[in-house]
Amino acid sequence: MNDVPILRNWHDDADIRRDLRSWQEEGAAVREVRLPDGPRVWLVTGYEESRQAFVDPAIVKDYRKAPNPQGFGRFLHRDESWAGPNSVITTDGSHHTRLRNTLRPFLNRRALDTLRPVVRTICDETLDALAEPLDPDLMRDFARVVTARVVNHILGIDPRHLDTVISTSTDYGAGEGSHRANAAIARLSAIIGETVTARKRTPDQGIISALVADPTLTARDVLGIASTVIIGGTLTTSTLLGWGIAYATTLDDRHAVMSDPRRREGYIEEMLRRYSPTRISTWRFAAEPTVIGTTPIPAGAVVCIAPAAANRDPRQYPDPDLFDPGRPNAANHLAFGHGAHLCIGAPLARLEAATAYSSTFTRYPNLRLALDLEHIPWASAVVEMHPRTLPIDRNSLFM
């Protein structure tokens, strides 16, 4: 057991590059590691191996189907709303399809066409307020606000809960231990519970009203689905917005890129590939023995797929550390997963990014940060990583 290496936290891009170089030199696309907080997992870092693992029927999301996941019991029950057995991200087969289908009417193409002007208004209003603080910050004052307001809108959560939704997702992804994450989940559950009660009395057009009206869903189903939308719709999407805008401030042709829909789309896909907000996907479990690539995986093993690594596999992406918005196969990235659990909110995240990018540089054409990108501090949890702060040079907002 002592020869199983510990997976070090990835606190920034240099950490990812360091480990990837080491693994690539060893030719290890699947390896057993120990997470910093104890459990042993099989980490999948190769691109093709990750695609295979995402769709392998022997690898499941519902831990109850796996024979005694190795050393993982105490981690599986600490946040029942977000990752318990009634969540979209922890179910399989017909149960997963049933829960997932409750969200489709709110995230299909017609729904997104209706949401487009809403997202534009939210971005514009948030940008108008960006110059008000003396220390404006792209993450705190823009990216987190936009994503939380969009989530509140589609769920039907009272706007007065905006600050709590923002702090909840921020605390959940802070990477500072389970106590802070559990406290965040408790606040989240309280907001959802209050909204459920309100929507039973006064239904609206939001997701929670639809969930409450569905007689096939239990109270835990509703809690699990709504929690997934909040955490999934704010944490990683705010990184896509904030870091995407921050990186664009370093480009000489940023206005040409952001004003051209085709070039902007390429930029978004390459941002998702090169700077995937999802460090490691949520847990999977081997319900029976299987093989990923050429590596045997025993029954009961915990399997973690690492999109941040797979998206830089040189076998799939030549010169993978190069950020190239014109990369022809960038959109084949695994930032949103693959297969049955492909992120159902991916089209909304892309819409938010496209709107935020174009609106920001239209409103503030000379925007720049107060720090160089290499000095930006990052927070890293097991699943995702994000900039803690993206301080803006306030003078650039008035140029």
Side-chain angles (χ1 to χ4, degrees), residues 86-397:
N86 298 284
S87 168
V88 178
I89 66 169
T90 57
T91 49
D92 303 288
S94 59
H95 188 188
H96 169 255
T97 300
R98 181 174 65 88
L99 296 180
R100 185 181 176 94
N101 283 346
T102 62
L103 296 174
R104 289 190 186 279
F106 301 92
L107 296 169
N108 60 25
R109 182 171 297 180
R110 179 179 297 180
L112 291 184
D113 286 342
T114 302
L115 275 173
R116 199 176 304 277
V118 175
V119 174
R120 173 73 65 181
T121 297
I122 288 173
C123 285
D124 288 345
E125 290 177 351
T126 308
L127 287 168
D128 287 343
L130 189 59
E132 293 177 4
L134 296 178
D135 59 340
D137 188 284
L138 261 178
M139 288 299 291
R140 182 194 67 211
D141 301 318
F142 181 72
R144 290 175 183 145
V145 175
V146 167
T147 54
R149 286 187 62 182
V150 170
V151 161
N152 277 11
H153 175 83
I154 64 174
L155 283 172
I157 294 176
D158 193 304
R160 66 189 173 85
H161 292 309
L162 178 66
D163 288 344
T164 304
V165 170
I166 293 172
S167 66
T168 295
S169 63
T170 302
D171 287 353
Y172 190 87
E176 296 178 4
S178 60
H179 177 75
R180 187 170 178 182
N182 287 344
I185 288 296
R187 297 199 305 275
L188 190 65
S189 299
I191 290 174
I192 294 170
E194 180 180 319
T195 305
V196 165
T197 300
R199 295 298 160 243
K200 286 179 178 178
R201 293 195 304 264
T202 55
D204 62 8
Q205 299 301 309
I207 291 174
I208 289 179
S209 286
L211 298 179
V212 169
D214 187 337
T216 70
L217 297 176
T218 67
R220 279 208 170 274
D221 288 336
V222 174
L223 179 60
I225 294 168
S227 298
T228 300
V229 172
I230 293 174
I231 299 296
T234 56
L235 200 54
T236 53
T237 307
S238 64
T239 298
L240 175 61
L241 268 59
W243 185 248
I245 293 169
Y247 190 90
T249 64
T250 68
L251 304 180
D252 293 335
D253 61 345
R254 62 186 181 182
H255 298 295
V257 171
M258 296 309 172
S259 62
D260 182 329
R262 185 177 296 275
R263 294 185 67 183
R264 187 173 64 236
E265 179 182 347
Y267 180 91
I268 291 170
E269 298 306 325
E270 181 68 348
M271 179 60 58
L272 286 163
R273 182 203 69 83
R274 176 62 179 79
Y275 295 103
S276 174
T278 304
R279 174 184 181 235
I280 295 174
S281 67
T282 50
W283 322 117
R284 285 168 167 79
F285 309 92
E288 59 188 68
T290 189
V291 176
I292 302 177
T294 59
T295 303
I297 306 297
V302 181
V303 178
C304 289
I305 304 168
N311 287 339
R312 296 198 218 175
D313 186 337
R315 298 173 299 173
Q316 174 70 12
Y317 298 108
D319 199 1
D321 287 336
L322 174 68
F323 183 86
D324 177 11
R327 192 182 293 272
N329 64 342
N332 296 334
H333 62 75
L334 302 176
F336 292 119
H338 177 61
H341 282 271
L342 177 72
C343 177
I344 194 171
L348 177 57
R350 289 183 168 104
L351 169 61
E352 290 181 64
T355 307
Y357 293 174
S358 62
S359 295
T360 297
F361 290 107
T362 298
R363 179 71 175 80
Y364 298 114
N366 298 301
L367 175 71
R368 62 173 179 262
L369 295 190
L371 290 176
D372 292 337
L373 293 187
E374 57 266 30
H375 296 139
I376 296 297
W378 287 72
S380 175
V382 172
V383 171
E384 65 85 45
M385 54 193 300
H386 60 268
R388 292 185 183 275
T389 180
L390 290 170
I392 296 170
D393 179 345
R394 191 168 183 269
N395 291 330
S396 70
L397 302 178

